[in-house]
DNA sequence: CGCCCCCTCGCAGTTTCTGGGGAGTAGGAT
DNA sequence: ATCCTACTCCCCAGAAACTGCGAGGGGGCG
């Protein structure tokens, strides 16, 4: 039975996904998902800008290691393309024109990655970014048919998968956020918009000294080392919005 | 017929949504969606870093104006709560404990917002943030039944809606092409974590002068007035993660 | 009533940031 | 081949921010 004839049952798949009990189990889940959709590979890949990454999926371990070791993260058009997009996208629509990208593609195909691919960008709080990707070996027409048919189910699955992955990801849970006083919020917000302390104080019609007290206070509450750090933390915790 | 008996046809709704031809038409679409689901209100609310906001939905115009004029954007637990979350969330799970939040809620209910609500956070490239929200007047049990039943459809609809809204707002991502270089990202990330320039330079094993060049460069690219501003913008646009 | 937090204001010395300059290498793109 | 970008290093002087010390009034809460 070809992969076009598979009829994945969304309900059952999501139920299984939500019953997952740890990162190891997610690996089992993604293999089951791959089988349910009948494609060659399915991958969840989480990444942040520090270069940390976590992934689970059905690629060869050798390829995964090579990917990490060669720093393909900064070359991979799937990463770059997903980062710029909102909606699911076929790999054909990525920019493969650069030399590095073409070399990467050739290397990938040699390591068992399919010639077709479909990736769903996912974004969470605090700039979290991931993508959920399917890869397969087939012709363009079949792939188009397949992705058209399963697009919505895949969106929902990728969402649930990301939620599960976030749950199991240590250190991604928000710290105990002590709230800021109204004045502190105002002061931090103005600084975050680029005003100097003097300008911000002027805008609030208070002395610069007073404003400084608010900023200091906010810094201490946030456990921040300096103003920039405090603004960054306040933004990250959603305490201020700019 | 109560709102629990409605059987919205996802296919038709999304088809209609994708045929929308402008922001004005999106307003029609959201009213049709509201009627299809049989709830009191449906809202799409887009927010950016500068405090600009765009919304369309079925709230009273008076309430919308009041919301903007009173700066409720900075108080609204729906905004704060969605900003910290990934998955759709019932309003009951937001933090309504602060005095400002309770005053806001009372004001909202007096202006026709329902006592129940369900919000879906949406994030796009470059730190774009929005939420898709339903509000209704009913008891907890009915609302739970309704949201459980329609959760998946609403996720898909909110996605398509956001894509459409993005399409019609090309100016939404004006400086999107101004991405930061790898070194600039590293430098900004370190500053955002509280390090001084000297410490950050040390960590990158470069001279402080060089680091300063990166920071300056990033500042110019981001159109920021100072380092704190630049860090705030980079965080908001999802260019760096801490 | 005392306690704690919030708001407001002040001084002074030290460190850091800002905003100009200039200069050279390497790699990719056109 | 040439241009452009990214990366690395250097100087200087003025402006701004940080650190740590202080003060007092107001409001809510047990």
């Amino acid at each position: 039975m070809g992969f076009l004839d598979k009829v994945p049952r969304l309900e059952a798949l999501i139920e299984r996904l939500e019953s997952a009990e740890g990162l190891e189990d997610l690996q089992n889940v993604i293999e089951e998902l791959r089988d349910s959709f009948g494609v060659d590979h399915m991958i969840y890949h989480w990444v942040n800008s520090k270069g940390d990454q976590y992934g689970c999926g059905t690629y060869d371990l050798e390829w995964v290691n090579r990917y990490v070791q060669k720093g393909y993260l900064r070359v991979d058009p799937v990463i770059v393309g997903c980062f710029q997009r909102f909606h699911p996208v076929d790999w054909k629509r990525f920019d493969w024109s650069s030399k590095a990208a073409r070399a990467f593609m050739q290397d990938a195909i040699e390591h068992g990655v399919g010639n077709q691919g479909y990736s769903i960008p996912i974004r969470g709080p605090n700039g979290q970014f991931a993508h959920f990707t399917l890869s397969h070996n087939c012709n363009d027409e079949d792939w188009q048919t397949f992705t058209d048919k399963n697009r919505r189910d895949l969106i929902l699955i990728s969402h649930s998968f990301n939620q599960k992955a976030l749950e199991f990801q240590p250190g991604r849970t928000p710290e105990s956020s002590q709230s800021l006083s109204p004045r502190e919020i105002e002061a931090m917000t103005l600084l975050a918009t680029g005003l100097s302390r003097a300008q911000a104080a002027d805008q609030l019609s208070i002395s610069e000294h007073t404003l400084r007290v608010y900023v200091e206070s906010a810094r201490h509450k946030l456990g921040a080392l300096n103003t920039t750090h405090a603004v960054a933390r306040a933004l990250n915790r959603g305490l201020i919005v700019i």
Side-chain angles (χ1 to χ4, degrees), chain A residues 140-158:
Chain A
D140 288 1
E141 196 185 330
D142 284 354
W143 189 241
Q144 182 75 41
T145 307
F146 173 80
T147 54
D148 283 351
K149 193 182 72 163
N150 293 294
R151 203 176 112 263
R152 285 173 198 163
D153 286 1
L154 290 172
I155 290 177
L156 292 172
I157 287 171
S158 69

Side-chain angles (χ1 to χ4, degrees), chain A residues 149-187:
Chain A
K149 193 182 72 163
N150 293 294
R151 203 176 112 263
R152 285 173 198 163
D153 286 1
L154 290 172
I155 290 177
L156 292 172
I157 287 171
S158 69
H159 262 237
S160 292
F161 204 101
N162 187 57
Q163 189 189 30
K164 271 292 165 189
L166 283 184
E167 266 178 39
F168 299 143
Q169 203 75 30
R172 281 275 130 192
T173 45
E175 293 174 38
S176 56
S177 54
Q178 196 174 0
S179 68
L180 301 178
S181 80
R183 279 311 226 189
E184 285 162 356
I185 291 176
E186 289 182 280

Side-chain angles (χ1 to χ4, degrees), chain A residues 44-60:
Chain A
Y44 171 80
H45 188 188
W46 175 94
V47 58
N48 77 4
S49 67
K50 268 181 283 187
D52 302 334
Q53 41 186 326
Y54 157 76
C56 68
T58 61
Y59 282 159
D60 280 351

Side-chain angles (χ1 to χ4, degrees), chain A residues 36-85:
Chain A
S36 300
F37 283 91
V39 293
D40 289 349
H41 290 296
M42 198 172 282
I43 300 96
Y44 171 80
H45 188 188
W46 175 94
V47 58
N48 77 4
S49 67
K50 268 181 283 187
D52 302 334
Q53 41 186 326
Y54 157 76
C56 68
T58 61
Y59 282 159
D60 280 351
L61 193 57
E62 192 194 340
W63 170 239
V64 173
N65 290 335
R66 188 177 177 83
Y67 187 100
V68 174
Q69 181 234 316
K70 287 218 158 198
Y72 276 152
L73 185 63
R74 303 227 178 263
V75 176
D76 189 351
V78 175
I79 299 289
V80 179
C82 281
F83 206 77
Q84 297 167 343
R85 282 177 175 80

